[in-house]
Amino acid sequence: VNDDPEVVHYAVTALVEIQKEFDLRFQALSRELAERPNDEILLRRYQSFLEQYLSSGLLEGSHRDVQLRKYVEVLKQRLSGNKGSLSLWIKKAEADMLLQNLEELRSDAETMISFRPENEQGYLYLLKYHAMRQNRQGVVDVIGMIDRKKIYLSPEARAELNFWRS
C-alpha cells in the first residue's frame, strides 16, 4: 500500500521473482521425488521446502490449500516409516486443522494418544477436534479424560484447558 508507483512496481517485481524461485525449486524437488519416492532424505528436504513455502506468506486461497495437501501427503509418507514420531504427527494434525480435515485430525489425535498416552499433544488435538465440530460433550469428555489420567500439562496447555473449562 504505497502511492508511489515505482515502489509498488519494485515490490511486485521482487515478489514475482521470489515466487518464481519457489516454483523452480518445487519443480526440481518434485522431479527428484518422482524418481526416488521412498528416499527419506529427499522426503525430509521436500517437507522442509513445503514448510518454508507455506510459512512464506506468498500462498493464498486454493493455491495454499493445494500445497497444504501436498504437505500432508509428504507427512503421511514419512509417517509410514516413522509411526512413532510425535513431531511428524503434530505437523500433520496442524495441517489437517488448517484444511478442516476433521476426521483426519481425530485420527491423528487418537494415534498420538495410543502411542504416547502420557503426552498432552494428542489430548489437545482431540479437544480441538471436538471444538471444531462444536461438540460440547466431546470437549467435556476430553477434559475429563485428561483429569482422570492425570496428564502433565505445560503452562500453555493448562491455559488452553482452563479456557475450555470456562
Side-chain angles (χ1 to χ4, degrees):
V1 182
N2 193 304
D3 293 334
D4 185 346
E6 194 171 326
V7 170
V8 172
H9 170 75
Y10 285 119
V12 169
T13 302
L15 285 174
V16 167
E17 191 62 34
I18 292 168
Q19 182 70 47
K20 181 179 153 190
E21 287 177 30
F22 270 115
D23 289 342
L24 290 172
R25 201 163 146 215
F26 178 70
Q27 290 170 6
L29 278 170
S30 295
R31 276 192 303 275
E32 283 185 69
L33 201 55
E35 294 169 6
R36 301 188 325 260
N38 297 319
D39 184 331
E40 179 64 23
I41 293 170
L42 187 55
L43 281 169
R44 269 191 297 218
R45 281 184 36 221
Y46 193 70
Q47 175 194 335
S48 177
F49 167 72
L50 283 170
E51 287 170 354
Q52 183 183 8
Y53 197 22
L54 288 164
S55 66
S56 71
L58 294 172
L59 299 171
E60 294 178 336
S62 62
H63 190 59
R64 181 175 168 270
D65 289 349
V66 167
Q67 297 304 327
L68 264 173
R69 281 192 278 285
K70 287 179 184 177
Y71 181 61
V72 167
E73 289 307 312
V74 169
L75 290 171
K76 283 181 181 178
Q77 197 169 353
R78 290 212 49 221
L79 281 164
S80 69
N82 301 298
K83 294 242 186 261
S85 174
L86 184 61
S87 63
L88 289 176
W89 282 109
I90 290 170
K91 289 176 182 192
K92 183 174 179 306
E94 284 295 320
D96 284 331
M97 271 190 348
L98 290 171
L99 288 168
Q100 301 282 309
N101 291 341
L102 297 184
E103 291 310 310
E104 284 287 319
L105 175 60
R106 181 190 52 75
S107 177
D108 299 340
E110 290 174 350
T111 300
M112 285 186 257
I113 291 170
S114 72
F115 77 85
R116 293 287 298 275
E118 77 290 351
N119 189 283
E120 68 188 20
Q121 292 299 323
Y123 301 97
L124 294 176
Y125 284 110
L126 192 56
L127 191 67
K128 290 172 185 175
Y129 161 78
H130 287 296
M132 291 173 80
R133 301 272 328 237
Q134 299 180 351
N135 178 356
R136 183 177 177 84
Q137 188 56 50
V139 169
V140 169
D141 291 346
V142 173
I143 291 171
M145 187 185 329
I146 291 170
D147 290 341
R148 275 191 313 282
K149 292 184 176 188
K150 296 182 180 4
I151 304 300
Y152 170 78
L153 298 173
S154 65
E156 297 84 16
R158 273 195 302 275
E160 187 173 339
L161 207 64
N162 288 337
F163 169 80
W164 290 111
R165 284 184 203 276
S166 64

